[in-house]
Every structure is written in C-alpha cells, then in structure tokens.
Amino acid sequence: MHSRLCTSTRLLALALLVAFGATSGRAEAVFPLAEVKPGLKGHGLSVFAGFEPERFEVEIIGVWRNLRPGTSYILAELSGHGLEESGVIAGMSGSPVYLDDRLAGAVAFAWPFSHRAVAGITPIESMREMSGELGAGTPVVGSSAPTVEQLAAVDLPSDLLGDGLSLLEPVGVSEGVPGVLWTTVGFGERSRDLLARHLGNVAVAGGASAGTAADLVPGSSVAGVLIDGDLRLAVSGTVTDRSGEELLAFGHPFLGVGPLRVPMAPAEVVTVLSSRFQSFKVTNIGEVVGAFDLDRVVGIRGRLGEQAPTTPVEIRVKGGRSEEFNVRIADLPLLAPTLVAVSALGSLDAATHAQGDQGLDLDVRFDLGDQGELRVRQSFDGMGAAMEAATYLLAYTSFLLNNRLAEVELAAVDIELTQFEQPRTARLVEAHAAKTVVRPGDRVPVNLDLVAFRGDHFRRSIELELPTGLADGRYSLLVGDGVSVDVARLMIERFEPVTFDQALDFLRSLHSRRQLVVLGVFAGAGLAVAGEVLPQLPGSVRSLWGAAASGSAVPLRLAVAHEDVAELDVPLEGILRIDLDVRRQEPLASETEGQSDEADSSEEKPVTSPPNKPGTAAQAEADGKSSRRRGK
C-alpha cells in the first residue's frame, strides 16, 4: 500500500510538471511574459536576515517593451519587509518573482532616490535560455595593453586604475541601477573609497562562521568572488532559479563578457540598512561552493561543485609595520590586472596607509610558468606614490595578459612593498669626467653632483672602464637614473618587439630609479630589424636591406657600446651627457671600412656637440636627450 502511494505521488508530480510546461528538470513552472498585465499581484523571495529566503509582495505596473532588441522588462512595485521605506535593496538582484505561483522573472534594477520601491524584472524565459549555452570557454582578453615604451618610461595614464575599475561596473538599464551589492573584506578606508567612486555602493562585509554553509535555493543570497583570501572583493545578488547543480541569478549582466570563470559563494545577511540613495544588505561572505561560468545581458549562470581557476598573489608590506597578505584572484585576463593592483593597494592600506607624502619601493615577481619569471623593481615618491605603484603593477600585468604577441600563463604573483615616511628622490645636477681625452680600455673616474630631497648637496664618484674596441672619435656617456637612461636607449635603438620572448627580454633589461646607469654611445650606422638591433653594419649590408624595401628595417645612427649599473640607497632623477675624445695609438682594422661607409651615406654623420657646458643639465636638455620622470 505504501509503495503504491509513493508511486502515485511521483506520477502526480510528473503530470503537474508536464502540465505547467516545466523543462530541463526544473520544478517551477513559468508565468509567460505574454500573460503579464497591470494590476496582477504576486510575491517574491529574498533574504533579509540570515540564510533563509522570505516573502515580499509584488504588484505589476506594466511591461517595458523592447528596451533592447528582443528584450522587455516587467515593472512592478514591491512591498513588505520595509521595502516601502527602504526602496529596492542592493543585493536583491535576482530575487525570483512569482505570479499565480509560477516563476515570472528576477528583480534586476531600480532607480535611486525613488519614492516608491519600483523594480525592473527580467522575464524568466529570457534567463532560462542560458541553460542551453556552453560555458566555461576562454575568458575575454583586453583589446589593448601598455606599450613597452610606456613601461620603460613609467609614463602611464593617471586614470589607468580608474579605467580598469570601470570594467567592473554592472550594466544597468536606461537610468536604472542594478540591484547588486559590492562588498569588501579587509580593505582599508582609502581603497574602499576608490572602489566606491567607480562601483557605486560598496559595503563592508564579514566572513561567515565555519560550518554555517547554506544550500543555495531560489531567493538565497549568492556572491561572485573576484578576490579571495585575506582580502575579499565580491559582488552579491540573489539566486533566481535552480535546476540540479545549475543556478541562474542576478537578472542582469555582471560584466557582460559571456563565458567567464568566477568563484561562487553563499552569503549570510546580517541586516538591511536603509539609505536615501540605495539601501543595502550587510552580509557575511561564505566559503566558495561553485563557480559562475556564463555572463549574459539577462543574468549569470553558475554551477555548484565546479571549481574556478584562480591566481595566487602574495603581498608583503614592509616599513613601520610589516604584514603579509595572501589572496587569490579570479582567472579573468580582462580584469586580473586591476584585481592585482587593487589587492596591492588594499594590502598597503590595511597594513599602514596608502596616502600622504611618502616613499615606496615596489619589488614584484611574475611567475609565467614555462616562460620563466619576470622580476620588476621600481621606486615612487610623493603624495601619489601608492597610486602610482598600483598603476605600474596594473600596467605590467596588463601587458603580460593582454599583449598581442602571445598568450601568457600567470601562475603566481609575489609583491613586496617597502614604505618610507617621506620622499627620498635626489636630483642629478652635474657630472664631470676626470679626463676627456681617453684611450680604449682606460679607467675613467666620474664625479656626480646631486641634490637630496631636502636640498642638501652631495657628491658621488664612480669609475668606468671603457671598452677596448673603441674607434677614434667622440664617445658619449649618458649618465642618469635607470628610467631616464632606459628611455634614451629606446630612442637610440628604436626597439619594437615582434615576439613575446623579445618583449620579455626587453622588460628584464629595464632599470629602476634606484639604479644609476651609464650608457656608452658612439656614432655607428646600423639597423633595427624584426625586433633585433644590428649596430655597426657595413654599408653593403645596409644597402641590401634598403633595396628590399620591406619597411621592416629602421636605420640607426648611434650604437650602444657598454652599460654600467650601480645600486643607490635612494631614488634618482635626471640624465646628463659627458663627451669623451677617443684617441687610439693605432687605427682599428675596421675603421677604413667604417669611414668608407660614412662616405657612402652623407646623412649618417656624427652628431656635433652643442655649445653648452659639458656634463650639465642645461646641455642635456638642449640636446633633447633629457628624460626625467619623478615618482610623486
């Protein structure tokens, strides 16, 4: 008897599912958009405290048709649980709405400062179309990345981080604001303010207690976790529909990028805080239980039990107070550069302070898997030091992940930030060689006059060993901070990589402001071809390249003979030139051919010295070779 009753019950349930048009194993039948009319009343589900979804009331105002091609929205007024006073609450995006106990759609957006709790609702028919799509494809890659010239010059747009954060802004409808809630855990006040300027309402969240994981059902609070670990950045909304392990949520796009891979976690609602702009839920973000894998105009799709790949980032902050932060960022090439930068800024803000006049040294190692490691060091000074360091970090990560030369694996990132209480940059104002008439292989003492941050003058002496193969004639020394000399070298050699290996070798050769670099330069006709520099080529070889007329060969008038690097205790700014006169005891065997080449190409003449005092800032600026960048 009991067996027959159970069988009859299952058959009845199956018949009801068929009668109401349920598909894909979904238990909830659909209330179609075509049947939606003004005045219809129903209810919705959302979490207002704890984990359990609770009922709120819904009254249909009408249908807002074809706002996008083929996309209409239901407008309804919500009530209950204080919604009449609070308005639609941030975090309600995705809250399922039922008419006649059938699923009609998901709360998607509302209007700030509205006197009524009016919400836009995405029809469930549109959302369920995501179930048939393939997900977990290749995440979207950025269409542009900084150039090697910008990285070498540390010449980056001041709003680069802001532009990166703008990619995180959920797309609204008309003037409506998406009802998602951005939440942070562990970030300091300055970094939260930065996020709020670009993302809107950003609330501080906590972590859910161990053992309090809740099952995700329609109406449950759910979060997409972009940064996880000691710091967390997540966007919270509500589950709309569930079929087996598949979830549909939000009712609007998260990033609008199509296939994606973002960790998914439940959220516990502590309370609801009312605000004139937009009320929001105070939440605790739970442990990751799955992954979102598809992001469309009508919502996002997730799967329980799936694992989204993440990149580990270790951040050490040193200075007055030392702390270590370990985070994991979502595997999204378009967003990862911004997430790495925000994690570094948030760690600095949480450990000490990220604003005010200060000095900051950045030392970062990018683990590129089979392509080895890239280590980058740079120094920043001034009121904007923290923001400049974060922007610099973003730029390098963006180049690696979004370059047009090759796909790159970012296996891990290790960041060390050393903070100083005040700026430290010294200015290079004068440079003198102990002798200006030299022979190849000579050791030449050079005296450098500098001005410290607070105006004190001091001198530093270095000794250079000249190359043994120098020809007779002028030999110039470019002396300066690492960044300025790197820019000068780029102007001389006109380097443009055509393979990622070339780009990586170039980035590994760059210097920091805490390095004094001396570049030895002489007049020597050469070519830059396919990302390679070919100095001192015979005229016959250059003629062959010119005859090919491929446009890939760029003529060079100067060549770099040697480079010396010295580590400094403080950052440096400025670049100067010292001219030496090389006189050999006997001519080089190659000089005759070189002189013949010069006769063949009248435009390739040695540059004459400007009428300025040798080794002064005035001379370097007049010669157009001064490239100064100050870390502020």
Side-chain angles (χ1 to χ4, degrees):
M1 179 71 178
H2 177 71
S3 176
R4 291 178 185 175
L5 182 59
C6 290
T7 302
S8 299
T9 301
R10 285 196 293 270
L11 290 173
L12 178 60
L14 179 61
L16 287 171
L17 289 175
V18 172
F20 283 109
T23 59
S24 302
R26 297 183 186 277
E28 294 175 326
V30 169
F31 193 101
L33 180 65
E35 296 181 18
V36 175
K37 306 213 181 309
L40 286 176
K41 293 186 178 180
H43 72 279
L45 294 175
S46 198
V47 177
F48 298 93
F51 290 103
E52 293 299 320
E54 297 181 68
R55 175 178 174 135
F56 60 89
E57 304 305 315
V58 176
E59 182 172 352
I60 301 301
I61 297 172
V63 177
W64 209 5
R65 300 188 185 280
N66 298 319
L67 262 69
R68 296 189 179 99
T71 304
S72 299
Y73 297 91
I74 304 166
L75 295 185
E77 186 166 1
L78 314 183
S79 59
H81 283 282
L83 291 170
E84 300 88 343
E85 290 77 31
S86 68
V88 179
I89 301 165
M92 287 187 71
S93 268
S95 296
V97 170
Y98 301 87
L99 299 173
D100 190 27
D101 289 329
R102 290 178 285 166
L103 183 58
V107 171
F109 58 91
W111 288 267
F113 305 110
S114 174
H115 295 293
R116 300 163 62 193
V118 175
I121 297 169
T122 301
I124 190 60
E125 296 117 307
S126 300
M127 294 183 67
R128 283 190 174 178
E129 290 177 359
M130 289 189 289
S131 293
E133 290 193 54
L134 296 176
T138 302
V140 172
V141 176
S143 59
S144 63
T147 64
V148 291
E149 290 88 350
Q150 289 176 307
L151 295 177
V154 198
D155 184 15
L156 303 167
S158 59
D159 58 351
L160 192 62
L161 183 53
D163 290 344
L165 287 171
S166 67
L167 298 174
L168 296 173
E169 297 179 33
V171 181
V173 177
S174 186
E175 296 178 354
V177 174
V180 292
L181 174 66
W182 282 99
T183 56
T184 64
V185 178
F187 284 81
E189 183 178 356
R190 177 180 168 84
S191 46
R192 287 200 310 270
D193 288 346
L194 173 69
L195 292 169
R197 285 201 300 272
H198 295 279
L199 304 180
N201 202 1
V202 176
V204 177
S209 302
T212 58
D215 190 24
L216 290 173
V217 298
S220 295
S221 289
V222 66
V225 185
L226 295 180
I227 301 174
D228 199 8
D230 294 330
L231 303 177
R232 304 186 88 182
L233 175 65
V235 60
S236 299
T238 303
V239 176
T240 306
D241 196 15
R242 175 172 173 176
S243 174
E245 302 304 302
E246 178 186 278
L247 306 178
L248 303 179
F250 286 21
H252 60 73
F254 170 27
L255 304 169
V257 297
L260 81 170
R261 295 171 291 187
V262 173
M264 179 176 69
E268 176 189 14
V269 177
V270 179
T271 189
V272 173
L273 291 181
S274 294
S275 167
R276 291 182 180 179
F277 175 72
Q278 187 179 29
S279 301
F280 61 93
K281 298 179 179 182
V282 178
T283 60
N284 292 319
I285 306 299
E287 296 299 317
V288 171
V289 296
F292 289 113
D293 68 348
L294 191 62
D295 179 17
R296 294 297 187 201
V297 170
V298 294
I300 59 174
R301 183 184 71 190
R303 297 186 187 279
L304 293 167
E306 293 291 322
Q307 186 172 0
T310 56
T311 301
V313 180
E314 181 177 324
I315 305 162
R316 294 178 302 281
V317 179
K318 296 184 176 181
R321 177 184 173 190
S322 297
E323 279 199 46
E324 182 176 310
F325 300 83
N326 288 278
V327 301
R328 298 176 299 279
I329 62 170
D331 183 22
L332 297 169
L334 181 65
L335 299 178
T338 301
L339 299 179
V340 170
V342 166
S343 298
L345 193 63
S347 299
L348 186 65
D349 197 15
T352 56
H353 60 90
Q355 60 184 338
D357 223 15
Q358 61 181 300
L360 198 61
D361 286 347
L362 171 68
D363 188 347
V364 55
R365 288 179 170 85
F366 296 98
D367 182 351
L368 306 180
D370 293 340
Q371 289 166 311
E373 179 183 277
L374 171 63
R375 183 183 184 187
V376 178
R377 293 184 296 165
Q378 198 50 266
S379 295
F380 305 88
D381 268 6
M383 293 292 292
M387 188 64 70
E388 288 183 9
T391 300
Y392 189 69
L393 189 56
L394 185 157
Y396 262 88
T397 312
S398 179
F399 180 84
L400 295 173
L401 293 180
N402 300 310
N403 74 87
R404 293 184 294 177
L405 301 173
E407 183 177 349
V408 176
E409 175 195 3
L410 186 60
V413 185
D414 182 275
I415 302 167
E416 185 170 286
L417 292 162
T418 304
Q419 192 175 42
F420 300 86
E421 290 302 318
Q422 65 178 16
R424 306 146 293 154
T425 300
R427 289 185 297 112
L428 177 62
V429 294
E430 205 161 338
H432 301 278
K435 57 181 179 178
T436 57
V437 178
V438 297
R439 295 185 184 279
D442 276 358
R443 302 186 71 86
V444 180
V446 176
N447 294 319
L448 308 176
D449 291 330
L450 305 103
V451 180
F453 169 64
R454 292 299 184 186
D456 294 333
H457 290 253
F458 65 99
R459 171 168 287 189
R460 173 157 182 164
S461 297
I462 57 175
E463 188 174 65
L464 306 176
E465 183 174 352
L466 302 182
T468 57
L470 292 179
D472 283 346
R474 192 178 75 174
Y475 185 66
S476 297
L477 302 176
L478 299 180
V479 184
D481 67 89
V483 172
S484 296
V485 175
D486 284 339
V487 172
R489 182 166 195 159
L490 200 55
M491 293 172 64
I492 292 168
E493 297 183 333
R494 305 183 195 180
F495 173 80
E496 185 173 349
V498 296
T499 69
F500 183 73
D501 285 341
Q502 289 175 343
L504 199 55
D505 286 342
F506 175 75
L507 296 179
R508 287 172 175 150
S509 75
L510 296 179
H511 303 93
S512 88
R513 294 189 179 99
R514 286 190 61 169
Q515 291 177 307
L516 172 69
V517 181
V518 181
L519 212 60
V521 179
F522 63 97
L527 294 172
V529 182
E532 299 290 344
V533 176
L534 308 175
Q536 291 184 282
L537 291 177
S540 56
V541 176
R542 299 199 309 277
S543 298
L544 286 174
W545 277 102
S550 64
S552 62
V554 178
L556 305 177
R557 299 179 61 186
L558 298 173
V560 175
H562 87 284
E563 177 184 283
D564 284 321
V565 180
E567 300 293 330
L568 301 175
D569 295 331
V570 298
L572 178 68
E573 69 168 2
I575 182 170
L576 302 174
R577 193 185 79 191
I578 303 173
D579 288 333
L580 305 178
D581 183 12
V582 178
R583 298 181 185 177
R584 299 184 62 87
Q585 291 180 329
E586 56 185 29
L588 289 172
S590 61
E591 284 184 5
T592 304
E593 182 181 2
Q595 291 168 359
S596 175
D597 291 344
E598 290 295 331
D600 292 340
S601 179
S602 59
E603 76 278 8
E604 294 174 354
K605 297 178 180 178
V607 180
T608 58
S609 300
N612 289 307
K613 180 180 177 182
T616 65
Q619 175 206 2
E621 291 171 356
D623 201 36
K625 298 187 182 296
S626 176
S627 176
R628 294 174 180 167
R629 298 291 184 271
R630 177 166 184 154
K632 296 182 178 179

